[in-house]
Amino acid sequence: MNFLETAWYSKARWLIFLWPLSLLFQLVSTLRRKKHKLYSDSSKLSVPVIVVGNIAVGGTGKTPLLIALVDILKSKGINPGIITRGYGGRAIAYPLEVTPLTSVSECGDEAILLAEKTGCPVTVGPDRMAALEALVSGNAVDIVLSDDGMQHYRLVRDIEICVVDGQRLFANGFCLPAGPLREPVQRLKEVDFIVINGKTSEQSPILESAIEMVMEPKFLINILNKERRPFIGAPFNIGSIVQAVSAIGNPQRFYDLLDKLPYQVKRFKFPDHHLYSVEDLFSAGVDEHQPVVMTEKDAVKCRSFARSNYWYLSTQVCLPPTFADEFISRVETLV
């Protein structure tokens, strides 16, 4: 965490001096949302739109949930498409359709991962409405899922799913910059589904109807040769030091999983969506003789220089069957 994040989640008292700025941020956000909501009309869209987002800065697990939702939709014969911001990528022009030839430097790590894991058409662009129009005009899809975009108020949506980090929840409950929230907690009363990523020890009335999502570690997969080793047990030589490399919003959940292995874990944290180079890892002190383990999202950025000791952790999203039934029931009223 950086200095400000640490203050948010430790609920530092001095943040109260930023509270007036938070009120201003919240007011502007509310006015913008009301303005766009006044003129929005989902009936004008050729396909329904589902937004999977959050109200807090940082990673909450939106992308793995979206991948799981795609699997649910496909199991019912529904053909989804995906739009995403493309954080970490810099394309010459947007919207950009992700193809097997698109580089991660153009579209970002999430877009590559989404395209490969789902097999769906994926369009990238900071303007979600423009990305949506480009996706629909060039592909036969029944429904569109937006990876993030709750605060992209121009994007008309039929269903909103908000993902909450079960470990960190809402920190001190303040909006930016005094806290990590992009919108106040009360915004959750307006979404269709609240999904909590992981168990939480704190009780909150607004989360009483939330669905719990669990990320189960399954395999360690070699980036270079695709070898799979079960996560349980001791997948590496006894005495190995596991070097955990991450460039995600909240790496603590990833570290907690690796701590279950019978090895010493050495952590190497990079900024969120960091575009790795081999020099980055060597400069940070990564040992080329010890196993390097990263998330699947990080791994897509290391393929060009991966070595035989580079692995990523493959996980499976577990959701209650009742959620899948309710989700499909809502979708079937739209498609």
Side-chain angles (χ1 to χ4, degrees):
M1 287 189 185
N2 60 33
F3 172 74
L4 196 54
E5 284 181 300
T6 301
W8 290 339
Y9 290 99
S10 64
K11 300 181 181 180
R13 293 183 178 181
W14 63 264
L15 289 169
I16 195 66
F17 294 108
L18 297 179
W19 186 52
L21 294 177
S22 294
L23 291 178
L24 179 61
F25 178 91
Q26 184 175 329
L27 175 62
V28 172
S29 176
T30 301
L31 291 175
R32 285 184 57 243
R33 182 164 176 261
K34 286 183 176 179
K35 173 188 173 183
H36 288 293
K37 193 172 184 179
L38 183 65
Y39 298 104
S40 66
D41 183 0
S42 60
S43 65
K44 295 179 181 178
L45 300 178
S46 58
V47 295
V49 175
I50 301 172
V51 169
V52 181
N54 62 9
I55 61 169
V57 172
T60 56
K62 300 184 302 296
T63 300
L65 175 61
L66 189 146
I67 293 170
L69 294 177
V70 167
D71 290 340
I72 294 172
L73 292 169
K74 284 188 168 184
S75 72
K76 298 298 182 179
I78 299 170
N79 298 316
I82 299 171
I83 57 174
T84 183
R85 168 66 177 83
Y87 288 107
R90 293 186 178 181
I92 296 176
Y94 292 106
L96 172 70
E97 184 173 355
V98 179
T99 73
L101 298 179
T102 306
S103 70
V104 68
S105 62
E106 291 180 296
C107 66
D109 46 18
E110 289 171 346
I112 291 285
L113 185 62
L114 287 167
E116 293 182 351
K117 296 286 285 186
T118 67
C120 294
V122 176
T123 299
V124 172
D127 184 335
R128 302 301 203 288
M129 283 300 293
L132 172 64
E133 291 166 1
L135 174 70
V136 172
S137 65
N139 300 274
V141 297
D142 302 318
I143 197 165
V144 171
L145 293 92
S146 174
D147 184 25
D148 207 356
M150 273 187 63
Q151 292 77 41
H152 194 87
Y153 302 124
R154 284 187 59 242
L155 177 62
V156 183
R157 72 284 311 263
D158 298 274
I159 296 176
E160 282 188 322
I161 302 175
C162 185
V163 187
V164 176
D165 186 327
Q167 289 181 334
R168 306 197 295 181
L169 290 182
F170 314 114
N172 57 13
F174 290 155
C175 286
L176 292 164
L181 301 185
R182 296 172 175 142
E183 296 183 274
V185 176
Q186 297 304 308
R187 172 76 164 86
L188 296 183
K189 292 182 177 180
E190 303 175 35
V191 305
D192 298 279
F193 297 98
I194 304 171
V195 176
I196 298 182
N197 185 2
K199 295 184 181 296
T200 178
S201 58
E202 296 185 33
Q203 300 296 320
S204 173
I206 205 164
L207 298 177
E208 287 179 355
S209 61
I211 297 101
E212 184 179 299
M213 176 176 82
V214 177
M215 302 285 292
E216 289 190 355
K218 289 297 183 180
F219 298 99
L220 289 163
I221 301 178
N222 191 277
I223 299 176
L224 198 61
N225 59 27
K226 309 305 179 185
E227 177 191 352
R228 289 188 172 206
R229 296 183 183 180
F231 180 78
I232 58 174
F236 303 117
N237 295 330
I238 297 299
S240 293
I241 298 175
V242 171
Q243 302 174 102
V245 175
S246 67
I248 55 179
N250 177 23
Q252 189 58 49
R253 192 181 301 108
F254 171 59
Y255 297 149
D256 289 344
L257 290 175
L258 295 184
D259 284 339
K260 297 178 181 179
L261 295 173
Y263 308 104
Q264 176 187 346
V265 177
K266 191 174 182 181
R267 303 173 180 183
F268 297 86
K269 185 178 184 302
F270 292 85
D272 194 12
H273 298 288
H274 180 72
L275 192 61
Y276 295 103
S277 68
V278 66
E279 290 79 13
D280 290 334
L281 302 186
F282 287 150
S283 298
V286 172
D287 187 337
E288 62 180 306
H289 302 293
Q290 296 290 344
V292 175
V293 179
M294 57 188 66
T295 68
E296 192 167 4
K297 188 163 73 170
D298 289 311
V300 301
K301 296 176 287 190
C302 298
R303 293 171 180 169
S304 63
F305 58 85
R307 301 190 175 199
S308 59
N309 61 319
Y310 284 32
W311 303 76
Y312 70 83
L313 179 61
S314 173
T315 60
Q316 179 179 339
V317 171
C318 297
L319 294 161
T322 52
F323 166 72
D325 293 341
E326 187 177 354
F327 173 66
I328 285 295
S329 178
R330 290 291 302 274
V331 169
E332 287 177 340
T333 66
L334 302 171
V335 297

